[in-house]
C-alpha cells in the first residue's frame, strides 16, 4: 500500500504542532494575498515603496522578514486558540440528568 509521505507526516504530528503550522501557513497566505492585492490596486504607490526601501532586493528581504514574524505570531495565536478550545470542549459526552 502506497502512502503519501507528506500527508502521513502531518497526521502523525501532535495536534498543537499541526495547529501551529496551520496558523503560520494561513497568516503567510493572508499577508501574501494582501501584498498581491496592493500591487494590483495601487501599482504606483507600491513602486514608490520599493524605491523608498532601496530596491527590489531590499524590499523582498524586508517583506520576507515581516511575513516570517507575522507567521510566527499567527502560529502562536492559533496554538493558543487550539489549547483554549481543547480545555473548553470536553472529550466526554455530558451525563444525562435523572
Amino acid at each position: 500500500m502506497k502512502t503519501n509521505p507528506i500527508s502521513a507526516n502531518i497526521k502523525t504530528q501532535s495536534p498543537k504542532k499541526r495547529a501551529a503550522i496551520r496558523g503560520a501557513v494561513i497568516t503567510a497566505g493572508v499577508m501574501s494575498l494582501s501584498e498581491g492585492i496592493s500591487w494590483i490596486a495601487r501599482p504606483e504607490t507600491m513602486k514608490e515603496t520599493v524605491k523608498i526601501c532601496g530596491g527590489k532586493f531590499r524590499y523582498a528581504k524586508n517583506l520576507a522578514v515581516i511575513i516570517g514574524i507575522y507567521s510566527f505570531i499567527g502560529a502562536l495565536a492559533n496554538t493558543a486558540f487550539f489549547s483554549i478550545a481543547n480545555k473548553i470542549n470536553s472529550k466526554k459526552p455530558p451525563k444525562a440528568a435523572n
Side-chain angles (χ1 to χ4, degrees):
M1 177 165 82
K2 293 184 177 180
T3 59
N4 187 351
I6 295 172
S7 65
N9 186 20
I10 290 174
K11 292 182 184 195
T12 59
Q13 293 174 346
S14 71
K16 286 185 180 181
K17 191 172 183 181
R18 279 191 306 217
I21 290 171
R22 285 183 184 141
V25 169
I26 290 171
T27 305
V30 168
M31 293 286 294
S32 299
L33 182 66
S34 173
E35 192 69 20
I37 290 171
S38 295
W39 274 101
I40 292 170
R42 301 171 293 176
E44 295 303 319
T45 306
M46 295 307 288
K47 287 178 185 176
E48 185 65 31
T49 304
V50 170
K51 191 186 301 182
I52 291 170
C53 283
K56 291 179 184 178
F57 178 73
R58 292 183 102 188
Y59 175 77
K61 183 178 130 187
N62 290 341
L63 181 63
V65 169
I66 289 170
I67 287 177
I69 291 169
Y70 277 109
S71 293
F72 180 72
I73 293 169
L76 290 177
N78 203 33
T79 304
F81 294 147
F82 176 78
S83 297
I84 292 169
N86 271 351
K87 290 189 192 294
I88 292 173
N89 195 8
S90 67
K91 301 289 182 196
K92 299 176 188 174
K95 294 181 180 179
N98 289 331

